Amino acid sequence: MNLVDILSARTVPCRGAYLAITRRCPLSCAHCLSESSNESEEHSAQMFKTFVETMTPECRPDFILLTGGEPLLRPKLVSQLSHHARSAGCTVCVATGMFFARSPSVPRLIQTALTEVDIVTASIDEFHEREVSRASVFRAVHWLLNQGKFVHFQTVTDDPASIYLRELLTDVKAHFGGEVPVFVGKLSPVGRAAAWMRPTSKSCPSDSGGCGMASWPVVTYSGAIAACCNQDVVNGPIPAHLQVGHAAYNSWSDVCAAFSSSATIRAIRVYGPHTLAFAAPLSGETTYCETCQGLSSDPTLTGRARNLMGKPFSAALELMVDSNRIDPGNFTLAGYEDWLGSTYERFRRGTA
Ligand code: SF4
């Protein structure tokens, strides 16, 4: 199991699921997407357990990604969810800001939680490093590797040629060889970064195709389940056409059925929101995701989506899109230069 396995499944509907089990976080990173703090919202543990317990060996996602906020603020819940999900056959990944690395040793409850997961995604970037030192993070990652965990770093940048990024990649390679890959994402003026980062262009010609992100459901902090991980959608309220259930009263099987039966979500995945909106996508007024989120206000949406997805060529196109969106062969984890370039380019285009 490695990062490429997850990436190659990322755009296949319901191959994975995100669970944002808390919005709380003890760190105060300047670029935090969810604008988390220690006082942020946190909902019933039972609701998340009830939902995960509907997953069975016959009906489950391949990957569960526990996120937040900081999911390891609820170590007991991470243990319980991971234990059930792995019993059902899922691979469990937890995404953490590594706050616990500030302690001289990994706290016992977090140790227990981490023994239940398969993969740890550790955030490291110039903002996280102001909260938790690189030396502390590296020490904790060595501990995780010694426990037999697969670990990868997640970093963000608005400049793939930045000195910070090149120095980080060199340092990671020097410390861990090829054992710990670094996944590079694009830094955007979203969440706390919106207060200080220059807004990016309102439209992009290369963003006019289908949306691969409308593939893995996200159980949001409140339990409402979204069809994608766009932060505005996750923060809610979720536009009606992008809500695929609620953890308090829907099962995993219900969520899969909602994905496959929604012509609108399928059309967003295959053709993209601009095609569905029949709008000029490049006017500079509305972004790709803003167009998508506005679709709910159109009373003719469902009919038009059904009509579009009922065409014979749509079925063929959907098959191609779902099976071939990301070619894992394009990722070179050993050669950071090539890998960085291709990954960043995919992020820029919104296809990774
Ligand atoms: S285009 Fe729609 S489905 Fe895709 S990420 Fe944006 S809001 Fe979500």
Side-chain angles (χ1 to χ4, degrees), residues 188-213:
S188 303
V190 177
R192 247 178 231 140
W196 53 266
M197 199 176 165
R198 207 156 43 93
T200 46
S201 158
K202 281 293 233 178
S203 61
C204 172
S206 60
D207 283 347
S208 55
C211 175
M213 294 299 98

Side-chain angles (χ1 to χ4, degrees), residues 211 213-214 228 230 233 242 268 273 288-289 292-293:
C211 175
M213 294 299 98
C228 78
N230 175 287
V233 174
L242 294 178
I268 290 170
Y288 187 77
C289 287
C292 183
Q293 289 163 54

